[in-house]
Amino acid sequence: MAFLSTKMDKNVPVIKGIQVVYTSSSSKKPPNAIAEMYGMSADINSGFGGDYVWLVPIWTTNMTEGVTKIRSVVQMSWNSAYSDLAAGSGGDYRYLKMEKEIGSSKRIKSVGLLRSSKHIKDIREFGWDERTSDINENRGGNYLYLCWKYL
């Protein structure tokens, strides 16, 4: 994505949601799926079986629709209001929840995935403002974070 102004410009695209897309093969990855920043797999289920799971940003230029935080939730029970990031792999259900902090002028302008063999404490050293908790929590394998930058 091109450089974005730091002003609350009404024409600047910001994230209003993340669509979870399931496919039957890696070749069917949506072209606009969020990339893993070091070229590793952007498939959320990579290494765990199940469906291929991709995250696709939903953009808006309406600042009131933009989100201020994305939360990763891991739980034992299914929630029909959200799309499971671990579809078909068994185990806990994993969801992304979009949040809007009341009164905040922050809006998310870009997102990326980060896979790592170690826990990342300070995402700012990778050039991002914030991150979710580990999407692969209690799953084994790589740590996986959805990271973002603010407008």
Side-chain angles (χ1 to χ4, degrees):
M1 176 171 270
F3 174 76
L4 298 175
S5 167
T6 56
K7 298 178 194 173
M8 290 297 281
D9 183 339
K10 292 183 183 202
N11 294 318
V12 174
V14 295
I15 299 287
K16 82 172 190 179
I18 304 283
Q19 178 184 12
V20 178
V21 177
Y22 306 109
T23 66
S24 58
S25 74
S26 62
S27 66
K28 295 182 179 179
K29 173 185 170 186
N32 52 346
I34 297 170
E36 196 284 328
M37 64 182 74
Y38 293 107
M40 297 177 75
S41 178
D43 168 25
I44 302 302
N45 263 346
S46 181
F48 298 105
D51 297 339
Y52 289 84
V53 179
W54 314 102
L55 304 179
V56 177
I58 302 169
W59 299 97
T60 184
T61 54
N62 181 342
M63 291 298 145
T64 61
E65 294 178 344
V67 297
T68 59
K69 186 170 183 160
I70 303 169
R71 194 161 51 101
S72 172
V73 176
V74 178
Q75 61 189 47
M76 291 174 53
S77 58
W78 179 68
N79 185 331
S80 63
Y82 299 96
S83 298
D84 183 19
L85 302 179
S89 67
D92 292 334
Y93 295 90
R94 296 163 195 283
Y95 305 109
L96 291 178
K97 292 187 176 183
M98 305 299 118
E99 297 182 356
K100 293 180 192 176
E101 197 175 304
I102 296 174
S104 175
S105 61
K106 292 181 181 179
R107 296 295 181 267
I108 297 173
K109 70 172 183 173
S110 61
V111 289
L113 285 168
L114 172 63
R115 284 190 185 277
S116 175
S117 60
K118 62 180 183 170
H119 172 66
I120 304 297
K121 291 181 182 175
D122 186 359
I123 201 65
R124 291 173 294 177
E125 67 186 64
F126 293 88
W128 297 91
D129 295 324
E130 287 197 41
R131 64 166 175 78
T132 62
S133 58
D134 177 24
I135 294 170
N136 285 339
E137 179 184 330
N138 299 324
R139 205 176 189 197
N142 289 328
Y143 292 89
L144 180 61
Y145 306 99
L146 182 62
C147 310
W148 61 88
K149 292 181 186 179
Y150 288 116
L151 184 61

